Amino acid sequence: MIRRLAVVGLGMVLMAMTMAACGGDDDTVKAEDAWARTSAMMQDAGAVYVTLTGGETADSLVKAQAPTDIAAMTEIHETTMNDEGAMMMGEVPAIDVPAGTTVMLEPGGYHIMLMNLTAPLESGQEFDVVLTFETAGDVTVPVEVREQE
Amino acid sequence: MRLRAALGAVAISVLLLSACGGEEAEPAGIVRDPAPDLAALSLPDAANGNAEFAFKADPGRLLVVYFGYTSCPDVCPTTLADVRSALEDMGDDAQYVDLAMITVDPDRDDAERLTAYVQSFVPESHALRTDDPDALWAVAEPFGAFYEVETAADGTVEVGHTAFLYGIDDAGLLQLQWAFGTEPGDLRSDFTLLVNRAKENRE
């Protein structure tokens, strides 16, 4: 949780810097720094993490699609903790991205779940994920496969 | 109420005194009081021909236990990669830490799969699984661990589980547990603390 807050804090600073640097350009939602963890042996599910930054108006991520030669099925998931302290994971219909706000998809929170990987994800591998936003439409983002930092 | 406040104040000052007096730093992990005694529990180790594996570190060592499943895309690999980072940064002391993963999803995690999975994070780790739900629960309950595996109508399997790491000493006592998201640096310093205690106890 501390890590998440720190990352969000850092994200907000970066966002402020970005907005100051290129005001006016950010009219629609952005998706950046997408990565997926290198698969462990036998792991048949993966997760893509990405940083979403809202544009001038609020938008929401409603669909994600990885190539079917990477994973048979792609869903938007959220990890939450239930009352008994267990971590649960489930599909969510959408992730809201308020105007001018950074939303991190990161370990322990939201992620794009890759189900039934066709092959283990290997470090250095790259593939594109198409993110569909309610207003902005399809945004293609390159995903880098790497070890967790 | 006043008595409780006074007792609280005493407890805090005792804690402060012990923090000042001792050489050990305060751990980042959670201390369970009383510490669960796990010495009598065991599960088959699929990484070792299904030999019974007791929840007790070997003398002078630390045993780290995790409940999870291999189809887990987010929480389990995050935590196991954090353990790997912590061990890599521990230097020589890492050799005194053993990792055991217990699958909460034995229907899908067969012996070979579980072993390959956990050992791809930390070589020589133990892969604990049982097909007997009662035997699994008999181990999970004293840890305070909880899990559920549900198959939806469309065939997708949903798994929920407590995502703590548990640190067990050579008497089988649960010394510390770490919540999901504990920084690898904090894991490393706590692992080192518990390894040092184990070494001292052995001398």
Side-chain angles (χ1 to χ4, degrees):
Chain A
M1 193 53 82
I2 290 166
R3 174 172 16 191
R4 281 183 72 182
L5 286 175
V7 170
V8 170
L10 177 64
M12 288 170 94
V13 170
L14 288 175
M15 187 185 73
M17 287 167 66
T18 311
M19 289 177 82
C22 45
D25 264 8
D26 299 329
D27 50 338
T28 61
V29 66
K30 278 193 163 44
E32 294 164 306
D33 301 329
W35 70 283
R37 189 184 294 99
T38 308
S39 297
M41 293 275 286
M42 302 292 176
Q43 190 178 339
D44 60 6
V48 171
Y49 304 104
V50 60
T51 303
L52 305 178
T53 306
E56 284 176 0
T57 54
D59 207 335
S60 74
L61 175 67
V62 292
K63 185 169 173 267
Q65 183 64 56
T68 48
D69 62 358
I70 293 287
M73 201 157 56
T74 313
E75 289 183 356
I76 304 171
H77 277 230
E78 183 181 20
T79 297
T80 51
M81 195 181 285
N82 74 3
D83 294 342
E84 285 149 312
M87 308 291 281
M88 310 291 295
M89 189 185 74
E91 190 176 7
V92 290
I95 298 174
D96 289 335
V97 188
T101 301
T102 297
V103 176
M104 307 283 295
L105 277 66
E106 59 182 346
Y110 291 117
H111 59 267
I112 293 160
M113 181 163 173
L114 307 176
M115 301 164 91
N116 301 327
L117 292 171
T118 54
L121 300 177
E122 293 180 15
S123 291
Q125 191 182 346
E126 287 187 355
F127 58 91
D128 286 345
V129 164
V130 178
L131 303 178
T132 306
F133 293 89
E134 201 168 49
T135 308
D138 288 355
V139 174
T140 300
V141 59
V143 178
E144 179 199 1
V145 179
R146 60 171 169 82
E147 294 290 352
Q148 182 173 318
E149 284 171 352
Chain B
M1 197 54 99
R2 264 190 205 158
L3 177 62
R4 193 178 294 174
L7 284 174
V10 169
I12 287 168
S13 47
V14 168
L15 278 171
L16 287 175
L17 280 171
S18 59
C20 296
E23 288 175 12
E24 286 187 351
E26 281 291 302
I30 300 158
V31 179
R32 292 267 295 273
D33 187 19
D37 183 348
L38 309 164
L41 307 175
S42 67
L43 279 176
D45 182 0
N48 184 26
N50 286 331
E52 282 294 310
F53 179 87
F55 291 95
K56 193 171 132 173
D58 286 337
R61 302 180 68 83
L62 166 67
L63 173 63
V64 175
V65 172
Y66 185 70
F67 290 81
Y69 64 109
T70 69
S71 308
C72 175
D74 185 33
V75 169
C76 312
T78 299
T79 301
L80 293 171
D82 284 346
V83 170
R84 177 178 58 203
S85 298
L87 293 175
E88 281 170 358
D89 293 343
M90 267 179 86
D92 289 345
D93 277 345
Q95 64 182 302
Y96 300 109
V97 181
D98 296 303
L99 174 68
M101 173 169 165
I102 303 170
T103 180
V104 299
D105 185 14
D107 287 350
R108 290 189 294 173
D109 291 346
D110 64 23
E112 184 194 4
R113 182 183 169 103
L114 181 65
T115 303
Y117 178 81
V118 66
Q119 293 190 348
S120 73
F121 289 97
V122 180
E124 296 178 32
S125 291
H126 303 275
L128 310 183
R129 74 177 292 284
T130 174
D131 291 309
D132 177 358
D134 293 337
L136 181 57
W137 181 241
V139 166
E141 196 175 19
F143 272 89
F146 167 85
Y147 51 86
E148 59 185 351
V149 181
E150 280 176 8
T151 305
D154 65 357
T156 54
V157 181
E158 293 201 352
V159 181
H161 62 115
T162 37
F164 289 100
L165 286 162
Y166 303 93
I168 301 167
D169 69 9
D170 57 14
L173 293 175
L174 201 170
Q175 289 289 334
L176 284 175
Q177 69 185 48
W178 299 274
F180 173 79
T182 302
E183 294 286 348
D186 288 336
L187 290 177
R188 182 199 61 211
S189 56
D190 282 1
F191 288 178
T192 303
L193 178 96
L194 295 181
V195 162
N196 286 338
R197 275 189 205 166
K199 284 187 194 164
E200 282 166 21
N201 287 346
R202 206 186 177 186
E203 281 164 8

